[in-house]
Every structure is written in C-alpha cells, then in structure tokens.
Amino acid sequence: MNEKKTALIISAHSADFVWRCGGAIALHQKLGYEVTIACLSYGERGESAKLWKQENMTLEKVKTERRKEAEAAAQALNAHDIRFFDFGDYPLEIDTDGKYQIVDLIRETQPDFMMSHSKWDPYNTDHMYATEIAIQCRMIAQAWGHNPGEKVLGAPQLYLFEPHQSEQMEWKPDLFLDISEVWDEKKAAIECMQGQEHLWKFYENLAENRANHFRRNSGGQAGGKNCRYAEGFQSLYPRCVESL
C-alpha cells in the first residue's frame, strides 16, 4: 500500500482557511489526502465585528462562536482534522513553547505540502506573522537535533494562498488550481462564516476570476481546459521535477 499523503494548512485566524484555500482542502481530501487545518487564533478581536456589535458580548463568547463556525466549515470541506491553538489575535504573538507546539504538529502530520499566508500584509500583520512562524517551524521540524529520535520533516512546499488585496501584498501567483468540482463544498464552508458575511460574494467572484486565469494559462481558446472556479497560490520554494 502507498503511504498516505497529507497536507497542513496554517491559518492565522479561524476563518482564513475557508476563503483562501477551502477549495484546495476539499479537492485534496477527494484525492485521498488527509488535510489538517491549524488555526493559530479565533480572530476573536480583529475579525469578529458582527459579533461584537451584539449586546453583552464577551471574548469567550466570541471565541466559542468562531470555533463553531470553523468546525462547521472544516466539516463542509471534509477536512481530516482541525486544531485550535488560541494564541490570540491583533496582535498574534507566539512564544518559543507555542512554536514547538506547531513543530510537533508538523512532525505529527508529515505534510506533503503546507499552506499559509502571503509574506507581506501591511493591512493585517497577523497574516504575514503566521507565515513567518510557518517558515520558522518548518525549519525547526527539519532539524535532526530538535527532539532527537523523532521523525524529521522532509522539504514540503509552502504555498502562499491569496490575500485579500493581492497587489498591495506583493503576492504573485505561479499556480492556479481548478476547484470547480468542489465549489459546492467551498461555498457551503464560506456560508458557515456568519461573522463575516460581507466576504461571501467577494470570494465567489475571486474564484470566478481565477478560473478565467486558469483557462487562459491552460490554452484559452486554443484548447485549454474549461474551469469555472479556481484558487491561486504562490510557491515559496523551488519545485523539483523530473520532466516539464
């Protein structure tokens, strides 16, 4: 039997994975991968305005609601697992012990690929900090001298998923993924995010626009593959291939 394939998504807040790579999660689950989602925070302070506008709202109530939404979204995407670290947001700050918790998860899952945010985000520094943490923890997980005796990490690609304002984040996709066959799953996950309903239509439009780019880059009118919905990603590390 072939060894199982896995993927790890590192999401700064509990909703980020839905908008930015929900299609990739659902598609790879269908392809036989075990996809684990790691939410570094609930987005309880900075990304829960709709909840905070309600009377008698508390921080713990917000966390509870955002966790429920994220769990429902992960279920809609058929994700293998979702983990919550509760490191706090605005700002997201992680000490050495917290980093080691993430390293433990990376070694546990042994991902064939990882995903996180753009390297630059002047609008939400939690996002780019999450990717800084992902890069650092990937490095630690590769170190033979960290917890000797454990299985060390290989060299999984780290894909940077699309930020909300791509041009301002200096994010440039080099990969478009056709998510048409799992769009219904992604849409269902999006609609679990009741606290950020204002983003629902935006990310549907984005998926349609990226599908246009997929069609164009796969051959366009000269015989390119049809695609209705797509997600874009930027590869951080070189991809090693045996043929083009």
Side-chain angles (χ1 to χ4, degrees):
M1 294 180 62
N2 293 331
E3 187 176 349
K4 68 180 180 183
K5 290 185 174 292
T6 61
L8 178 62
I9 314 302
I10 297 182
S11 181
H13 312 107
S14 62
D16 292 329
F17 72 90
V18 177
W19 324 116
R20 309 182 197 284
C21 65
I25 294 169
L27 181 63
H28 283 82
Q29 282 291 151
K30 279 196 170 184
L31 292 172
Y33 282 70
E34 292 182 355
V35 183
T36 297
I37 303 160
C39 296
L40 303 185
S41 80
Y42 296 104
E44 64 270 16
R45 299 204 302 173
E47 299 194 349
S48 302
K50 185 176 178 180
L51 289 169
W52 282 112
K53 291 175 183 178
Q54 299 176 18
E55 291 186 8
N56 302 316
M57 187 54 63
T58 67
L59 189 64
E60 289 308 311
K61 286 181 181 178
V62 173
K63 287 183 179 182
T64 297
E65 289 304 309
R66 295 316 303 267
R67 178 168 183 144
K68 288 179 181 177
E69 291 178 357
E71 288 174 335
Q75 185 174 7
L77 298 171
N78 299 309
H80 172 69
D81 194 9
I82 184 167
R83 308 281 184 95
F84 298 93
F85 286 91
D86 196 14
F87 290 129
D89 71 321
Y90 283 62
L92 173 64
E93 295 179 317
I94 303 175
D95 62 15
T96 299
D97 287 342
K99 292 175 185 176
Y100 287 164
Q101 291 178 46
I102 298 169
V103 172
D104 287 344
L105 179 60
I106 293 173
R107 283 193 169 178
E108 174 191 339
T109 55
Q110 291 289 320
D112 290 274
F113 67 84
M114 299 168 60
M115 289 185 168
S116 199
H117 298 261
S118 57
K119 289 183 69 177
W120 171 245
D121 189 339
Y123 296 92
N124 192 323
T125 59
D126 284 1
H127 291 160
M128 62 185 190
Y129 180 69
T131 293
E132 178 185 334
I133 291 296
I135 293 170
Q136 190 174 92
C137 290
R138 178 185 181 274
M139 175 193 73
I140 297 169
Q142 292 174 317
W144 287 80
H146 176 76
N147 291 342
E150 291 183 352
K151 183 179 180 180
V152 300
L153 183 70
Q157 181 61 256
L158 178 60
Y159 292 109
L160 310 183
F161 42 60
E162 185 158 8
H164 190 64
Q165 300 183 70
S166 306
E167 294 82 3
Q168 278 67 47
M169 310 330 190
E170 301 175 7
W171 177 90
K172 183 178 179 180
D174 58 18
L175 185 153
F176 294 111
L177 180 68
D178 183 356
I179 62 166
S180 302
E181 68 175 279
V182 293
W183 172 251
D184 289 344
E185 288 92 327
K186 178 167 182 174
K187 185 176 181 181
I190 286 174
E191 292 175 355
C192 290
M193 294 296 145
Q194 295 291 323
Q196 292 175 283
E197 189 175 348
H198 61 288
L199 294 176
W200 292 6
K201 192 62 179 177
F202 176 89
Y203 281 100
E204 181 173 1
N205 289 340
L206 180 61
E208 291 172 338
N209 289 337
R210 290 307 182 194
N212 181 49
H213 297 157
F214 182 104
R215 294 192 298 270
R216 176 74 180 186
N217 284 278
S218 68
Q221 295 181 17
K225 181 183 176 183
N226 188 30
C227 176
R228 295 180 298 116
Y229 299 97
E231 291 172 340
F233 300 96
Q234 180 180 5
S235 308
L236 185 61
Y237 301 102
R239 282 178 280 181
C240 302
V241 300
E242 296 179 356
S243 65
L244 296 179

